[in-house]
Amino acid sequence: MCGIAGLWSNGCENIQLEEDIKKMASCLNHRGPDNEGFWSDQNVNFYLTHKRLSILDLSTAGIQPMISHNERYVISFNGEIYNNFDLRKELEKINNLIKWRGHSDTEILLELISYFGIEKALLKCTGMFALALWDRNEKCLKLARDRMGEKPLYYGLSGDDGSHTFLFGSELSAITSWRLFDNNINPNALFQLLNYQAISAPSTIFKGIHQLLPGHIFTLKNPKSKNLPESKPWWNLKSSIEKSLNDPIIDKECAISATEYILKDAIKKQSIADVPLGTFLSGGIDSSLITALLQSESNTKIKTFTIGFEDKQFNEAPFSKKIAKHLGTDHSEFYLTSKDTQEIIPKLNQIYSEPFADSSQIPTHLICREARNSGLKVALSGDGGDELFGGYNRYIMAENIWKKIDFIPFQIRNKIGSIGLRIPYQVLNKFSDIVGINQFGTKVGKFSERLKYIKNEDEFYFSLISQWKDLTFLFNKDLTNEDLLEIPNYIKLDLPECISNDLVSRMMYYDSLDYLPNDILTKLDRAAMSTSLETRAPFLDHKVIELAWRLDKNLKIKSNRFNNSNKVILREILFKYIPRELIERPKTGFGVPIDSWLRGPLKDWANELLSKDNIENTNFLKYEPIKKIWDDHLSCNFQNSGKLWPILMWQSWLNNYRSSKNLLN
């Protein structure tokens, strides 16, 4: 796991560019503390750098940027190719004269590209990655990103018309470190942040800078043009789903056998490393299954790590501990305190390098930090299991509830929502244990608010993942003329026809395209790499993805008047390794008690960021409506942390960014 960056200038002097690329590299030290490399084609003002975190082939043979054996290609690669040894054997059958420098997956990938071309080479790969490939013959740059977006890659133009420069990197901090960077804030990205907690690719917080979409390749042949070409897919989730649904699995026993086999194979490949490896164990189904399958194939105790909370309704550490004891792992648990939170928050801007507002970023960073401090260099996670196997409560709730309310006229639904909002959430929260839903009152309040305006299935889904019905009232008038109401780009994509009439399958598809890469995987990658820890997600092996979509929906979600259950197949596999009673409990998610923190240890910090001077100084949002939301939260009239946290993360990030640019200037 590493960090990559580069630039292709249209007008700067080479001596300046050498300093620029060194500065870009220094911004990625945390992603690759083991080695640093540079390469350039000064004839065309192209510069490339690589920061290395050594996982496979710890020798100098794995140092990058790396030049192919035919000397045509130069690569800076971030990620892992899990089937690299199989690919090496395939290459040796084609050409047994290859003299390998070492056994790094980067070298194998380069030879694959040299022989097959980049698209065919990537289709042969099982892995997670972001890469920059320079073609020395064609003077052409290609950027590529893995299928599901596990690894990040940003790119774009900055500078005036006379000397604009094409910049790219694993994190935005590398791009914004360029001495002439002057791109304006993208209001549409701010809208996405406030509504969805994260910014959806291909947008970023800056105009002119983009995130490469998962499964895409971007090709640049001329940096002089101010109009960048569109990226193109080398892999497509829609096509993969359509292919899978043409070969469905309906039989339960067959599904259990196939899923267990394919997961074991993915875990086996992803557990190959020349450094210490372990797992994150939350106590939920996904992480418990990954841990159980990994431990079942290991002759020694694997290392497992869990985060706990002082607030019992968020604390799953006791469950994780029981599971770890049953599996016989070498288990460590760490409790997140308010002091830890206060220490981590000032670091979030540096960790994420653009505003990011999933509050579970705090415990995610802590568990990564503690795992790394304990000697771990690679950790397996259960990310992706919810989107593929129907794990989110909203999948069950949406279908059940929509069937019940669809026949009710909208005017009546609106009145029901108004009544629900009048019931104090604190009263309903007392019934959480009885109904089996964590923070029951808070969720009833959110649902009641949405009942007031949802009119169809897709609006219902978006109401479940967004914080606002309409937030243009938060923006200054001069910004509302911009396209602030743009919904995430993935909704514009054509749906696989076979799921167009299936709400739950559509939700899983939407989440896989947007929530998973832009929130879940972003959160984990930045939190882990800030501590120089590599994380791997076996559920996101493309063969697991293909199998998951072959499974009949009833093998994932069981919903009737007597029983609601999700991830049915994963549970059946897990119960082979762990007693049912250690797993069967309400799903809580990886949440944090941010509501109480904002009224307690984080109150002064939030007060400062939400002050009139601070809000008005940023010149993007209005003070009065934000003050109302903050006052309602402090008075306990509403649980507004979901709306406040993105605003706080935005204000904090913008203040930090402006300060850093002033220092640079």
CSV table of all heavy atoms in Angstrom, one decimal, residues 577-613:
chain,number,residue,atom,x,y,z
A,577,TYR,N,-19.3,-21.7,12.8
A,577,TYR,CA,-18.1,-21.4,13.6
A,577,TYR,C,-18.4,-20.8,14.9
A,577,TYR,O,-17.5,-20.8,15.8
A,577,TYR,CB,-17.2,-20.5,12.7
A,577,TYR,CG,-16.8,-21.1,11.4
A,577,TYR,CD1,-17.6,-20.9,10.2
A,577,TYR,CD2,-15.6,-21.8,11.3
A,577,TYR,CE1,-17.2,-21.4,9.0
A,577,TYR,CE2,-15.2,-22.3,10.0
A,577,TYR,CZ,-16.0,-22.1,8.9
A,577,TYR,OH,-15.7,-22.7,7.7
A,578,ILE,N,-19.5,-20.1,15.0
A,578,ILE,CA,-19.8,-19.3,16.2
A,578,ILE,C,-21.2,-19.6,16.7
A,578,ILE,O,-22.2,-19.7,15.8
A,578,ILE,CB,-19.7,-17.8,15.9
A,578,ILE,CG1,-18.2,-17.5,15.6
A,578,ILE,CG2,-20.1,-17.0,17.2
A,578,ILE,CD1,-18.0,-16.0,15.1
A,579,PRO,N,-21.5,-19.9,17.9
A,579,PRO,CA,-22.9,-20.1,18.4
A,579,PRO,C,-23.8,-19.0,18.0
A,579,PRO,O,-23.5,-17.8,18.1
A,579,PRO,CB,-22.7,-20.2,19.9
A,579,PRO,CG,-21.3,-20.6,20.1
A,579,PRO,CD,-20.5,-20.0,19.0
A,580,ARG,N,-25.0,-19.4,17.7
A,580,ARG,CA,-26.0,-18.4,17.2
A,580,ARG,C,-26.3,-17.3,18.2
A,580,ARG,O,-26.4,-16.2,17.9
A,580,ARG,CB,-27.3,-19.2,17.0
A,580,ARG,CG,-28.5,-18.4,16.4
A,580,ARG,CD,-29.7,-19.2,16.2
A,580,ARG,NE,-29.5,-20.3,15.2
A,580,ARG,CZ,-29.8,-20.1,13.9
A,580,ARG,NH1,-30.4,-19.0,13.5
A,580,ARG,NH2,-29.6,-21.1,13.1
A,581,GLU,N,-26.2,-17.7,19.5
A,581,GLU,CA,-26.6,-16.7,20.6
A,581,GLU,C,-25.5,-15.6,20.7
A,581,GLU,O,-25.8,-14.5,21.3
A,581,GLU,CB,-26.8,-17.4,21.9
A,581,GLU,CG,-25.6,-18.1,22.4
A,581,GLU,CD,-25.6,-19.6,22.0
A,581,GLU,OE1,-26.3,-19.9,21.0
A,581,GLU,OE2,-24.9,-20.4,22.6
A,582,LEU,N,-24.3,-15.8,20.1
A,582,LEU,CA,-23.3,-14.7,20.2
A,582,LEU,C,-23.5,-13.7,19.1
A,582,LEU,O,-22.9,-12.6,19.1
A,582,LEU,CB,-21.9,-15.3,20.1
A,582,LEU,CG,-21.4,-16.2,21.2
A,582,LEU,CD1,-20.0,-16.6,21.0
A,582,LEU,CD2,-21.5,-15.4,22.6
A,583,ILE,N,-24.4,-14.1,18.1
A,583,ILE,CA,-24.5,-13.2,16.9
A,583,ILE,C,-25.9,-12.6,16.8
A,583,ILE,O,-26.1,-11.4,16.4
A,583,ILE,CB,-24.3,-14.0,15.6
A,583,ILE,CG1,-22.8,-14.5,15.6
A,583,ILE,CG2,-24.6,-13.2,14.4
A,583,ILE,CD1,-21.8,-13.4,15.5
A,584,GLU,N,-26.9,-13.3,17.2
A,584,GLU,CA,-28.3,-12.9,17.0
A,584,GLU,C,-28.7,-11.7,18.0
A,584,GLU,O,-29.0,-12.0,19.1
A,584,GLU,CB,-29.3,-14.0,17.2
A,584,GLU,CG,-29.1,-15.1,16.1
A,584,GLU,CD,-29.6,-14.7,14.8
A,584,GLU,OE1,-29.7,-13.5,14.5
A,584,GLU,OE2,-29.9,-15.5,13.9
A,585,ARG,N,-28.6,-10.5,17.5
A,585,ARG,CA,-28.9,-9.3,18.3
A,585,ARG,C,-29.2,-8.2,17.3
A,585,ARG,O,-28.7,-8.3,16.1
A,585,ARG,CB,-27.8,-8.9,19.3
A,585,ARG,CG,-26.5,-8.6,18.6
A,585,ARG,CD,-25.5,-8.3,19.7
A,585,ARG,NE,-24.2,-7.8,19.1
A,585,ARG,CZ,-23.3,-8.5,18.6
A,585,ARG,NH1,-23.4,-9.8,18.6
A,585,ARG,NH2,-22.2,-8.0,18.0
A,586,PRO,N,-29.9,-7.1,17.7
A,586,PRO,CA,-30.1,-6.0,16.8
A,586,PRO,C,-28.9,-5.4,16.2
A,586,PRO,O,-27.9,-5.2,16.9
A,586,PRO,CB,-30.9,-5.0,17.6
A,586,PRO,CG,-31.5,-5.8,18.7
A,586,PRO,CD,-30.5,-6.9,19.0
A,587,LYS,N,-28.9,-5.1,14.9
A,587,LYS,CA,-27.8,-4.4,14.3
A,587,LYS,C,-27.7,-3.0,14.7
A,587,LYS,O,-28.7,-2.2,14.7
A,587,LYS,CB,-27.9,-4.5,12.7
A,587,LYS,CG,-26.8,-3.8,12.0
A,587,LYS,CD,-27.0,-3.9,10.5
A,587,LYS,CE,-26.0,-3.2,9.7
A,587,LYS,NZ,-24.6,-3.8,9.8
A,588,THR,N,-26.5,-2.5,15.1
A,588,THR,CA,-26.3,-1.2,15.6
A,588,THR,C,-25.5,-0.3,14.6
A,588,THR,O,-25.6,0.9,14.6
A,588,THR,CB,-25.7,-1.1,17.0
A,588,THR,OG1,-24.4,-1.7,16.9
A,588,THR,CG2,-26.5,-1.8,18.0
A,589,GLY,N,-24.7,-1.0,13.8
A,589,GLY,CA,-23.8,-0.2,13.0
A,589,GLY,C,-22.6,0.3,13.8
A,589,GLY,O,-22.5,0.2,15.0
A,590,PHE,N,-21.7,0.9,13.1
A,590,PHE,CA,-20.5,1.5,13.7
A,590,PHE,C,-20.7,2.9,14.1
A,590,PHE,O,-20.1,3.8,13.5
A,590,PHE,CB,-19.3,1.3,12.8
A,590,PHE,CG,-17.9,1.4,13.5
A,590,PHE,CD1,-17.7,1.0,14.8
A,590,PHE,CD2,-16.9,2.0,12.8
A,590,PHE,CE1,-16.5,1.1,15.4
A,590,PHE,CE2,-15.6,2.1,13.4
A,590,PHE,CZ,-15.4,1.6,14.7
A,591,GLY,N,-21.6,3.2,15.0
A,591,GLY,CA,-22.0,4.5,15.3
A,591,GLY,C,-21.2,5.0,16.5
A,591,GLY,O,-20.5,4.3,17.2
A,592,VAL,N,-21.3,6.3,16.8
A,592,VAL,CA,-20.7,7.0,17.9
A,592,VAL,C,-21.7,7.9,18.6
A,592,VAL,O,-22.7,8.3,18.0
A,592,VAL,CB,-19.5,7.8,17.5
A,592,VAL,CG1,-18.4,6.9,16.9
A,592,VAL,CG2,-19.9,8.9,16.5
A,593,PRO,N,-21.6,8.1,19.9
A,593,PRO,CA,-22.5,8.9,20.6
A,593,PRO,C,-22.3,10.4,20.4
A,593,PRO,O,-22.1,11.2,21.3
A,593,PRO,CB,-22.3,8.5,22.1
A,593,PRO,CG,-20.8,8.1,22.1
A,593,PRO,CD,-20.6,7.5,20.8
A,594,ILE,N,-22.4,10.8,19.1
A,594,ILE,CA,-22.1,12.2,18.7
A,594,ILE,C,-23.1,13.2,19.3
A,594,ILE,O,-22.8,14.3,19.6
A,594,ILE,CB,-22.0,12.3,17.2
A,594,ILE,CG1,-21.2,13.5,16.8
A,594,ILE,CG2,-23.3,12.2,16.5
A,594,ILE,CD1,-19.7,13.5,17.1
A,595,ASP,N,-24.4,12.7,19.5
A,595,ASP,CA,-25.4,13.6,20.0
A,595,ASP,C,-25.0,14.1,21.4
A,595,ASP,O,-25.0,15.3,21.7
A,595,ASP,CB,-26.7,12.8,20.2
A,595,ASP,CG,-27.4,12.6,18.8
A,595,ASP,OD1,-27.6,13.5,18.1
A,595,ASP,OD2,-27.7,11.4,18.5
A,596,SER,N,-24.6,13.2,22.3
A,596,SER,CA,-24.2,13.6,23.7
A,596,SER,C,-22.9,14.3,23.7
A,596,SER,O,-22.7,15.2,24.5
A,596,SER,CB,-24.2,12.4,24.6
A,596,SER,OG,-23.3,11.4,24.1
A,597,TRP,N,-22.0,13.9,22.8
A,597,TRP,CA,-20.7,14.6,22.8
A,597,TRP,C,-20.8,16.0,22.4
A,597,TRP,O,-20.1,16.9,23.0
A,597,TRP,CB,-19.8,13.9,21.7
A,597,TRP,CG,-19.2,12.6,22.2
A,597,TRP,CD1,-19.3,12.0,23.4
A,597,TRP,CD2,-18.5,11.6,21.4
A,597,TRP,NE1,-18.7,10.8,23.5
A,597,TRP,CE2,-18.2,10.5,22.2
A,597,TRP,CE3,-18.1,11.6,20.1
A,597,TRP,CZ2,-17.4,9.4,21.8
A,597,TRP,CZ3,-17.4,10.5,19.6
A,597,TRP,CH2,-17.1,9.4,20.4
A,598,LEU,N,-21.7,16.4,21.5
A,598,LEU,CA,-21.9,17.7,21.1
A,598,LEU,C,-22.5,18.6,22.2
A,598,LEU,O,-22.3,19.8,22.2
A,598,LEU,CB,-22.7,17.9,19.8
A,598,LEU,CG,-22.0,17.4,18.5
A,598,LEU,CD1,-23.0,17.4,17.3
A,598,LEU,CD2,-20.8,18.3,18.2
A,599,ARG,N,-23.2,18.0,23.1
A,599,ARG,CA,-23.8,18.7,24.2
A,599,ARG,C,-22.8,18.7,25.4
A,599,ARG,O,-23.0,19.4,26.4
A,599,ARG,CB,-25.1,18.0,24.7
A,599,ARG,CG,-26.2,18.1,23.6
A,599,ARG,CD,-27.5,17.6,24.2
A,599,ARG,NE,-28.6,17.6,23.2
A,599,ARG,CZ,-29.0,16.5,22.6
A,599,ARG,NH1,-28.5,15.3,22.9
A,599,ARG,NH2,-29.9,16.5,21.6
A,600,GLY,N,-21.7,17.9,25.3
A,600,GLY,CA,-20.8,17.7,26.4
A,600,GLY,C,-19.4,18.1,26.0
A,600,GLY,O,-19.1,19.3,25.9
A,601,PRO,N,-18.5,17.2,25.9
A,601,PRO,CA,-17.1,17.5,25.7
A,601,PRO,C,-16.8,18.2,24.4
A,601,PRO,O,-15.7,18.9,24.3
A,601,PRO,CB,-16.4,16.1,25.7
A,601,PRO,CG,-17.5,15.1,25.3
A,601,PRO,CD,-18.7,15.7,25.9
A,602,LEU,N,-17.6,18.2,23.4
A,602,LEU,CA,-17.4,18.9,22.1
A,602,LEU,C,-18.1,20.2,22.0
A,602,LEU,O,-18.1,20.8,21.0
A,602,LEU,CB,-17.7,18.0,20.9
A,602,LEU,CG,-16.9,16.7,20.8
A,602,LEU,CD1,-17.4,15.9,19.5
A,602,LEU,CD2,-15.4,16.9,20.8
A,603,LYS,N,-18.8,20.6,23.0
A,603,LYS,CA,-19.7,21.7,22.9
A,603,LYS,C,-18.9,23.0,22.7
A,603,LYS,O,-19.3,23.8,21.8
A,603,LYS,CB,-20.5,21.9,24.2
A,603,LYS,CG,-21.5,23.1,24.2
A,603,LYS,CD,-22.2,23.2,25.6
A,603,LYS,CE,-23.2,24.4,25.6
A,603,LYS,NZ,-23.9,24.5,26.9
A,604,ASP,N,-17.8,23.3,23.4
A,604,ASP,CA,-17.1,24.5,23.2
A,604,ASP,C,-16.5,24.5,21.8
A,604,ASP,O,-16.5,25.6,21.1
A,604,ASP,CB,-16.0,24.6,24.2
A,604,ASP,CG,-16.5,24.8,25.6
A,604,ASP,OD1,-17.7,25.2,25.7
A,604,ASP,OD2,-15.8,24.6,26.6
A,605,TRP,N,-16.0,23.4,21.3
A,605,TRP,CA,-15.4,23.3,20.0
A,605,TRP,C,-16.4,23.7,18.9
A,605,TRP,O,-16.2,24.4,18.0
A,605,TRP,CB,-14.8,21.9,19.7
A,605,TRP,CG,-14.5,21.6,18.3
A,605,TRP,CD1,-13.4,22.0,17.6
A,605,TRP,CD2,-15.2,20.8,17.4
A,605,TRP,NE1,-13.4,21.5,16.4
A,605,TRP,CE2,-14.5,20.7,16.2
A,605,TRP,CE3,-16.4,20.1,17.6
A,605,TRP,CZ2,-15.0,20.0,15.1
A,605,TRP,CZ3,-16.9,19.3,16.5
A,605,TRP,CH2,-16.2,19.3,15.3
A,606,ALA,N,-17.6,23.1,19.1
A,606,ALA,CA,-18.7,23.3,18.1
A,606,ALA,C,-19.2,24.7,18.2
A,606,ALA,O,-19.5,25.4,17.2
A,606,ALA,CB,-19.9,22.3,18.4
A,607,ASN,N,-19.3,25.3,19.4
A,607,ASN,CA,-19.8,26.6,19.6
A,607,ASN,C,-18.9,27.6,18.8
A,607,ASN,O,-19.4,28.6,18.2
A,607,ASN,CB,-19.8,27.0,21.1
A,607,ASN,CG,-21.1,27.0,21.7
A,607,ASN,OD1,-22.1,27.3,21.0
A,607,ASN,ND2,-21.2,26.7,23.0
A,608,GLU,N,-17.6,27.4,18.9
A,608,GLU,CA,-16.7,28.3,18.2
A,608,GLU,C,-16.9,28.2,16.7
A,608,GLU,O,-16.9,29.2,16.0
A,608,GLU,CB,-15.2,27.9,18.5
A,608,GLU,CG,-14.2,28.7,17.8
A,608,GLU,CD,-14.2,30.2,18.0
A,608,GLU,OE1,-14.7,30.6,19.1
A,608,GLU,OE2,-13.7,30.9,17.1
A,609,LEU,N,-17.0,27.0,16.1
A,609,LEU,CA,-17.1,26.8,14.7
A,609,LEU,C,-18.5,27.3,14.2
A,609,LEU,O,-18.6,27.8,13.0
A,609,LEU,CB,-17.0,25.3,14.3
A,609,LEU,CG,-15.5,24.8,14.3
A,609,LEU,CD1,-15.6,23.3,14.1
A,609,LEU,CD2,-14.6,25.5,13.3
A,610,LEU,N,-19.5,27.3,15.0
A,610,LEU,CA,-20.8,27.7,14.6
A,610,LEU,C,-21.2,29.1,15.0
A,610,LEU,O,-22.3,29.5,14.9
A,610,LEU,CB,-21.9,26.7,15.2
A,610,LEU,CG,-21.7,25.3,14.8
A,610,LEU,CD1,-22.8,24.4,15.4
A,610,LEU,CD2,-21.8,25.1,13.2
A,611,SER,N,-20.2,29.9,15.5
A,611,SER,CA,-20.4,31.2,15.9
A,611,SER,C,-20.7,32.1,14.7
A,611,SER,O,-20.4,31.7,13.5
A,611,SER,CB,-19.1,31.8,16.6
A,611,SER,OG,-18.1,31.9,15.7
A,612,LYS,N,-21.3,33.2,14.9
A,612,LYS,CA,-21.7,34.1,13.8
A,612,LYS,C,-20.5,34.6,13.0
A,612,LYS,O,-20.5,34.5,11.8
A,612,LYS,CB,-22.4,35.3,14.4
A,612,LYS,CG,-23.0,36.2,13.3
A,612,LYS,CD,-23.9,37.3,13.9
A,612,LYS,CE,-24.5,38.2,12.7
A,612,LYS,NZ,-25.4,39.2,13.3
A,613,ASP,N,-19.4,34.9,13.7
A,613,ASP,CA,-18.2,35.4,13.0
A,613,ASP,C,-17.6,34.3,12.1
A,613,ASP,O,-17.2,34.5,11.0
A,613,ASP,CB,-17.2,35.9,14.0
A,613,ASP,CG,-17.5,37.2,14.6
A,613,ASP,OD1,-18.4,37.9,14.1
A,613,ASP,OD2,-16.9,37.5,15.7
